[in-house]
Every structure is written in structure tokens, then in C-alpha cells.
Amino acid sequence: MSEITMQDKLDFLNKRETERKLKSKQNEKGSVENEKVDYFEKVVAEKKSEIKELIEQSSQIAQKDKLAEHFNKISNNILTLQKYIASNNLFLRTYDIKVYQESITSLSNEVKELEDKLLPKKRFNFKKRSDVVKASNVTQVQPVKLDKVDIDVGDCGFKDLNDQELNLNREEVFKKDVALANLENCTVKIYGTPSTLHLSNIKNCKIYSGPVSTSIFADGCIESTLVISCQQLRLHSSKSVNIYLHVTSRAIMEDCTHINVAPYNLEYDKLAEDFERAGLDRNVNNWLSVDDFNWLNVAKDSPNWNQMEEADRVPSFFI
Amino acid sequence: MGFLSVLRKMKQKEKEMRILILGLDNAGKTTILKRFNGEDIDTISPTLGFNIKTLEHRNFKLNMWDVGGQKSLRSYWRNYFECTDGLIWVVDSADRRRMQDCKNELHKLLLEERLAGATLLIFANKQDLPGACSAEELQEILELNLIKTHHWQIVWCSAVTGENLLKGIDWLINDIAVRIFTLD
């Protein structure tokens, strides 16, 4: 009888022991993270004060070669510190990295000034070299001409057209990069599944497209209606555009205003099949997930785009 | 803690490389990173900010920094230059409209003193698209032969299919390894 209770007690104690161990392990983990940062800060502070001390000592050294050696030592120390900070930047916050880098820059500037003052003849070797590099770089960038490349060529698409009804069929666009450029007062119907779609300089047009399997890149669309579906949408420098959108990841816009967004509502034969061919999930539509790069404020919505009022939406487009 | 222990700590990290992935928006930077890391690429959205991934490859620890390429983000690229061992410049080979832009941004980048010494890999991405420029064409369009300040190489690839990604990254790693640590 007493043995059984003894056994029970032992079991109980063992269990407690394991639990305690687990708990302390978890605590350790958390404190290791903190220690890492603390340790890092301590080392950096120590190294910095060492370097500062060395800098202060330098004015007391009279002999020139000793002084040069001394400066060499300082700059080596700075370099090592810089490397140390860089090698730890994974767990540092960006802001902290910036602060550390700034403090290093100011340290090396201080040393440089002091060296120029105390050792005016001796110059850093690499300074000369970096001048040379710069010079060669300057000559390198100058030839900026690219006129020989026809920028607008695309396998598939339309450009420089006014007042037209344009169609592309399933075979034409399948897995293609479709480009529409410089169109005005046009209606474009794209049946099927392009791989990507590029729109540039589109004015007063209606663009209807089947599911685009990767991204749509639109630039300079004005007073137009886009009925599009894709994995990603990037909209640039556009104004007054109504977008009926199906996007399976997210949409972004940059330098745009007066953009209205509504869910995709295109209808044509084989649309469901095309969604499958494009590899887009018809049930996943993040049409309201629009990131405005000109409005990095999470607390307030971007004034550059709106959800279209249901009353203003066209119920569906049959093409 | 003496300075020696600091040095020892640094030595442990010897096999680490910091790789920065840049390029115009819509070039496929995140897709390359995710495909290389074996992740799902169907849910990738345009990068608002940056992604960091640490991956092990051939016993090297690669710290990959993928920074968004939108125009409004490009001015922040320089915040990531420090201590970069390798630069991957990703090009949408099918986007002929923005080649000029792409060339200018690349050559501007190479003037950066903080990137001096970094190995440059240019990925001619989206080779799965029918209208894509070949790597040779891109070499001419982007005037890569003018680059004398960096070790560079252009490699065609398709992030969507995964083709040739390994080849490019292996070249990059070898070049960096020869420079930083002696290759074993």
C-alpha cells in the first residue's frame, strides 16, 4: 500500500520535473534572443569607446611612422566593427542598423579629419583608387541610346489605334504576352488566357479580358473601363478608371487617382474553363485588396481609390 | 568579452553570403526567390516593402533580400546596399517597353560605391513567354559589356517553370565564394 503511494508520488514528482524543465527551456529561449541583442550592444559600445580612446591618444604621438601605424590600427578596428555590425544585421531592426552605420561613418570621418591634420602628407592609398573607379564609371554610363530596339513590338496585341472594335481569340492569346498600347476610343475583347497583359496609354477604352494567368501591368490608363482577371495587378499613372477586377493575390497602384473597383463580372462561353486553364481560382477574389504605394498609411484608407457603389456597377458584361 | 571572441563569432559566420535581389517591378524577383526556396508561387502579390529569406544551399547560408521594384520604392534600395556580396538583377525579358528604364536603373546601381565588389548576376527572366528577348539580345540592349567594375554574368531563366535558376545562382555563389572564402 505504502509502496503504491510512493510510486505515485515519484511519478508525480517526475512529471513536475519534466514540466519545469520544459518551462525553463522556453524561458531560456526568450532570454537568449534578448541576450543576443544586449550582448551585441555591449560589444559595439565597448569597441566604440576603445576606438575613441585610440583617436584621443593619437594627438600625443609625435613620431610620424608611429602615428601612421596608429591610424592604421584605428581604421582596422573601425572596419572590424563595421563587419561585426553587418554580420549581425539579421536580428537588428532597420532603424538600429541605420543608427549604427551612421555612428561608424561619423567615427571614420573623425579619424580622416584628424589624420589629414596630423599627417598631411600621408594619404590613404585607396582614396586615389576610388577616384579612378569613379572616373571609369562616369564614362561607362554616358552612352545612353537604345533607339535601335523597337520598344513596342509584341507578338500579340494592338497599338496606335482609334475608334475600333478589336478582338483576340483563345488560340491567339494562349500563354502569350498580350500588349495593348496607345489606343483611344476602342473596345478590346480578349477571349481566353494570356500569360500576361500589358496596357499602356489607353484612353477612353473598354478592355475586357479573360483570365490572365500571371500579372497585368497597366500604365497610363485614362477614363477607361477595365474588366480583368489575373493573379496580380499593377496599375500605374492612371486616372478615372473603373475596374471590374478578379485578382487572386493582390493589386497595387502607384500615382493613380479616381480609381473605382468592383468585382469581376465578365461572361462569355468557356469562361469557367478558361479560369482553369489559367490556373486561377474562381472562388478567390481579393478585388478589395488594393495597396496604394502613394498612401502608406494603414490607419486611413487611400483617397485615390474607392469601392464602386453597387448602384453604379454594371451588373454583368456579356461579350 | 575580448575582441578575440568577436572575431571568433565572425568566423563562424564565414559561410554566409548576403544577396540582394533587385529589378524593375513585375520582373519576377519574389517569384524567383520563392521558386528557389520551393514555395508556392501562385499567391505572390506585388511586394510592398521587402522579403528576407535565409536559405541553405551547398553548405552556404544565403541571406536573400528581395526588395520591391515599384518606382516609389526604388529610392529605398540604397538602404539595403551595405555588405552585399552578390546582386541579382532580374529582368522581365518580355517587357520590351521598359528596357530603357531597366538599363538606366541597372547602370545607376552599379555606380554605388557600397555595391563595389559585389558579384552581379543578371537573370533574363520570363523566358517561358513567347516574345521574350534572349539573354544575348538583353546583353546588348542593357549594354552589359560596358560593365567593367563588377564580375557579371547573364543567365536566362523562367521563375515560373524553375528552369535555369540553379545554374544562375550556382554561378553567383561560386564567384562570391572564390572571392570571399577559398572554395573547398
Side-chain angles (χ1 to χ4, degrees):
Chain A
M1 182 78 179
S2 69
E3 233 179 63
I4 292 167
T5 45
M6 191 68 158
Q7 189 60 44
D8 281 347
K9 250 184 193 162
L10 269 177
D11 281 346
F12 179 66
L13 282 176
N14 274 337
K15 207 175 147 203
R16 285 266 309 260
E17 173 86 11
T18 0
E19 272 171 2
R20 206 171 32 235
K21 269 187 190 159
L22 268 176
K23 222 177 189 176
S24 74
K25 235 183 208 168
Q26 271 169 357
N27 285 343
E28 239 172 57
K29 236 186 193 170
S31 63
V32 162
E33 286 288 304
N34 285 336
E35 266 170 24
K36 231 172 156 185
V37 178
D38 288 346
Y39 172 74
F40 173 80
E41 277 170 359
K42 221 175 104 197
V43 171
V44 172
E46 265 173 31
K47 270 323 287 178
K48 251 165 80 176
S49 67
E50 259 177 56
I51 292 169
K52 276 199 179 133
E53 223 169 88
L54 285 175
I55 294 175
E56 271 167 29
Q57 284 167 10
S58 53
S59 54
Q60 287 153 18
I61 301 173
Q63 278 170 288
K64 281 213 164 158
D65 38 336
K66 269 203 177 157
L67 200 54
E69 209 175 281
H70 186 72
F71 276 122
N72 239 337
K73 190 175 161 194
I74 296 176
S75 58
N76 273 338
N77 280 1
I78 292 179
L79 200 71
T80 318
L81 179 61
Q82 196 171 16
K83 277 189 185 158
Y84 176 62
I85 291 172
S87 68
N88 282 291
N89 58 13
L90 265 184
F91 64 80
L92 295 176
R93 283 173 302 172
T94 336
Y95 174 73
D96 289 336
I97 296 174
K98 212 172 140 192
V99 170
Y100 284 126
Q101 277 166 356
E102 270 166 14
S103 72
I104 283 196
T105 321
S106 80
L107 263 185
S108 31
N109 284 344
E110 201 181 322
V111 174
K112 222 178 191 175
E113 264 174 42
L114 200 62
E115 197 181 3
D116 282 348
K117 208 173 92 189
L118 298 175
L119 266 182
K121 273 178 211 157
K122 268 237 155 148
R123 286 222 148 234
F124 267 30
N125 255 345
F126 62 72
K127 201 162 182 195
K128 209 169 153 196
R129 215 188 306 158
S130 80
D131 282 349
V132 173
V133 170
K134 252 188 196 156
S136 72
N137 275 340
V138 170
T139 52
Q140 181 194 104
V141 172
Q142 248 138 33
V144 182
K145 42 178 178 178
L146 187 75
D147 305 5
K148 54 190 172 192
V149 182
D150 186 359
I151 292 187
D152 266 346
V153 283
D155 267 29
C156 184
F158 305 105
K159 65 169 185 172
D160 306 325
L161 294 170
N162 290 344
D163 312 295
Q164 306 244 354
E165 291 253 351
L166 306 161
N167 291 337
L168 287 167
N169 65 37
R170 292 178 95 213
E171 286 68 39
E172 280 175 293
V173 302
F174 183 58
K175 288 205 168 169
K176 289 273 179 65
D177 175 4
V178 176
L180 305 176
N182 309 332
L183 303 182
E184 200 172 339
N185 302 323
C186 293
T187 301
V188 185
K189 295 173 183 172
I190 302 169
Y191 299 88
T193 57
S195 181
T196 107
L197 174 61
H198 275 93
L199 306 173
S200 39
N201 301 327
I202 304 290
K203 201 177 167 195
N204 199 19
C205 291
K206 292 188 172 69
I207 315 277
Y208 306 98
S209 171
V212 174
S213 53
T214 64
S215 66
I216 296 182
F217 189 97
D219 190 16
C221 298
I222 294 164
E223 287 155 12
S224 295
T225 299
L226 312 178
V227 186
I228 49 181
S229 60
C230 54
Q231 193 215 321
Q232 295 185 356
L233 170 67
R234 297 165 197 261
L235 185 68
H236 296 263
S237 312
S238 297
K239 205 180 145 188
S240 308
V241 181
N242 287 341
I243 306 177
Y244 293 82
L245 177 66
H246 186 104
V247 61
T248 54
S249 71
R250 291 177 84 86
I252 64 106
M253 52 190 247
E254 189 175 59
D255 305 328
C256 297
T257 56
H258 301 94
I259 307 296
N260 293 309
V261 191
Y264 190 63
N265 56 1
L266 192 69
E267 291 291 340
Y268 66 87
D269 264 4
K270 297 187 176 169
L271 178 68
E273 197 183 305
D274 281 348
F275 261 98
E276 266 181 34
R277 278 220 295 187
L280 297 185
D281 190 340
R282 211 176 173 179
N283 300 314
V284 177
N285 186 2
N286 301 317
W287 61 282
L288 271 176
S289 306
V290 182
D291 292 320
D292 181 356
F293 276 72
N294 304 102
W295 193 259
L296 300 177
N297 181 348
V298 267
K300 256 172 131 184
D301 287 339
S302 161
N304 299 322
W305 69 276
N306 276 306
Q307 181 176 343
M308 210 184 296
E309 294 289 339
E310 278 192 45
D312 299 337
R313 295 180 197 166
V314 176
S316 60
F317 294 99
F318 289 95
I319 61 169
Chain B
M1 282 297 148
F3 195 48
L4 266 179
S5 60
V6 175
L7 281 174
R8 208 175 307 127
K9 271 198 104 187
M10 281 178 61
K11 268 208 139 157
Q12 284 165 6
K13 301 199 162 193
E14 236 176 11
K15 291 243 161 183
E16 248 183 78
M17 294 177 183
R18 189 177 139 110
I19 293 169
L20 186 59
I21 309 176
L22 296 175
L24 300 189
D25 45 329
N26 204 35
K29 296 177 288 297
T30 309
T31 313
I32 284 180
L33 181 59
K34 294 218 165 174
R35 169 63 82 194
F36 189 69
N37 201 25
E39 290 175 56
D40 182 17
I41 59 164
D42 293 335
T43 53
I44 296 170
S45 51
T47 307
L48 188 76
F50 61 92
N51 304 306
I52 316 167
K53 287 239 147 51
T54 305
L55 15 135
E56 299 272 347
H57 179 58
R58 285 174 37 194
N59 283 332
F60 293 110
K61 197 168 155 199
L62 309 180
N63 296 321
M64 312 273 271
W65 292 68
D66 154 36
V67 187
Q70 310 296 331
K71 239 184 229 153
S72 39
L73 289 180
R74 290 179 206 162
S75 56
Y76 297 100
W77 283 356
R78 55 197 168 83
N79 298 342
Y80 299 84
F81 291 162
E82 218 71 52
C83 303
T84 297
D85 299 310
L87 176 66
I88 301 181
W89 181 257
V90 183
V91 184
D92 175 353
S93 315
D95 188 0
R96 292 167 190 259
R97 302 149 211 94
R98 291 198 297 159
M99 283 300 170
Q100 179 76 52
D101 205 4
C102 178
K103 189 188 87 177
N104 290 346
E105 290 287 352
L106 174 61
H107 284 276
K108 205 162 84 191
L109 207 60
L110 297 180
L111 290 179
E112 263 306 321
E113 260 176 77
R114 280 173 298 169
L115 289 177
T119 302
L120 171 67
L121 167 69
I122 297 117
F123 261 139
N125 191 24
K126 306 205 184 179
Q127 293 293 327
D128 52 301
L129 293 178
C133 297
S134 67
E136 292 73 33
E137 271 179 277
L138 273 181
Q139 184 164 337
E140 199 174 312
I141 293 172
L142 299 177
E143 300 190 338
L144 300 182
N145 292 328
L146 291 179
I147 301 172
K148 308 283 183 221
T149 46
H150 297 69
H151 287 191
W152 62 270
Q153 176 80 269
I154 182 162
V155 173
W156 68 268
C157 75
S158 162
V160 172
T161 64
E163 275 174 291
N164 246 14
L165 287 184
L166 212 56
K167 187 183 160 196
I169 295 199
D170 279 343
W171 174 82
L172 183 73
I173 291 174
N174 283 341
D175 191 84
I176 296 171
V178 167
R179 190 157 39 81
I180 307 188
F181 347 107
T182 37
L183 200 62
D184 8 59

